[in-house]
Amino acid sequence: MDVHILGGLSVREGGVSITPTAAAPRQVLALLTAFAGQVVPVTVLTEELWPSGAPRGARTELAAHIAELRALLTRALQASQDADAAGGWTEPRTADSVLVSLPGGYRLDTGVGTHDIGQFERAAGAGYRAMDAGDLARASLRLGEALALWRGDPYAGVAAGPCLRREIARLETARLSVLDQWVEAQLGLGRHEEILSELPGLAARYATNEPLQAHLMVALLRCGRHEEALAVYERLRTVLHRETGMEPSARLRRLQHSVLAVRHTRVGAATGPVARTAVTAAAFGPGHAPGHAPAVPAVSAVPAATAVRAEGTPPVIWYGPVQPRVPVQPQPVRAADTAAKGVAVAV
């Protein structure tokens, strides 16, 4: 069975769609795929369908939705009987063996096939391990593969009750974690000019996410666009104050002060190779050619509050998250809290 939820629900058995068009059975299937291979209690399913309280006859209606899903499965299995061996099964699958009734609930056995959440988590895990090992090129590749699996919002087009909303929030948090690390790897590889084509859009979408705003400020600063970097900080400050009544974290304020200090030195005020060399020297120290960032060690290995700078130039501090980096079930935290747990590295 092939399951795709990162951008709309699509479930296919033997190449045949079993995704219902009706809202309620579609919602039931979505919840079963979210916990594929696990028993989903009837109480969880009824709460998902009727958050305000299950009506009389709710279990009967739920059983009808299950029957509709099994009917779709039966048609799909009949159309793909010749694919049993390719599916890795020693005996023909049946609708009852795929969507199993158990005491107190139901379990969806997807068997072999693709599941984009599993693919995402495996690629993300490989990317995190590469980051910890200091292999930024591999980290960029694997984290990029994880992000490429997203075709849109998870479970798009599915009515979401309380359980699905929690799952959607978990997936969005995991996506943000991967995105943050991918951008960090890109910056570490000196690709600040390349990512400026998409980073502003991401920062606008996640307007209160401090790590993304910091990444954008750093990329702009490395390109000598000091005023735009400062404008990013001011937008963040305005949005945070309006939505939470809070100020940016202390680390973001220090980054802003560093940008101000660099601007006041007029590093990068001119154009051409000389100016780019000056910006690079301010960021990395003397002796580094423009566009060739020095190797950045694994983030976890960088001492806190470290800044490398040329003599007479102010330090510019950038931060990234520390271990653990686990995308499977990240803890929901505020962006400001995430930034507060970071470590400092040189821009």
Side-chain angles (χ1 to χ4, degrees), residues 11 163 185 210 259 264 279 330:
V11 185
C163 191
E210 290 201 355
V259 177
H264 290 159
V279 172

Coordinates of all heavy atoms in Angstrom, one line a residue, residues 11 163 185 210 259 264 279 330:
V11 N -4.1 7.3 -0.9 CA -3.8 6.0 -0.4 C -4.2 5.0 -1.6 O -5.3 5.1 -2.1 CB -4.6 5.6 0.8 CG1 -4.2 4.2 1.3 CG2 -4.4 6.6 1.9
C163 N -7.4 14.8 17.1 CA -6.2 13.9 16.9 C -5.5 14.3 15.7 O -4.2 14.3 15.7 CB -6.7 12.5 16.9 SG -5.3 11.3 17.1
A185 N 22.9 24.4 6.9 CA 23.9 23.7 6.1 C 24.2 24.5 4.8 O 25.4 24.6 4.4 CB 23.4 22.3 5.6
E210 N 12.0 32.5 14.8 CA 13.3 33.2 15.0 C 14.5 32.6 14.3 O 15.3 33.4 13.7 CB 13.6 33.4 16.5 CG 12.6 34.4 17.2 CD 13.1 35.0 18.4 OE1 14.2 34.6 18.9 OE2 12.4 35.8 19.0
V259 N 24.8 43.5 13.3 CA 24.6 44.0 12.0 C 24.8 45.5 12.0 O 25.4 46.1 11.1 CB 23.1 43.7 11.5 CG1 22.9 44.3 10.2 CG2 23.0 42.1 11.4
H264 N 28.0 50.2 10.6 CA 28.7 51.4 11.0 C 30.2 51.4 10.6 O 30.8 52.5 10.4 CB 28.6 51.6 12.5 CG 27.2 52.0 12.9 ND1 26.7 51.8 14.2 CD2 26.1 52.4 12.2 CE1 25.4 52.2 14.2 NE2 25.1 52.5 13.0
V279 N 33.7 42.2 3.5 CA 32.6 41.5 4.1 C 33.0 40.1 4.6 O 32.7 39.7 5.7 CB 31.3 41.4 3.2 CG1 30.2 40.6 3.8 CG2 30.8 42.8 2.9
P330 N 9.2 15.9 17.6 CA 9.8 17.0 18.3 C 8.8 17.6 19.3 O 7.6 17.5 19.2 CB 10.0 18.0 17.1 CG 9.0 17.6 16.1 CD 8.8 16.1 16.2

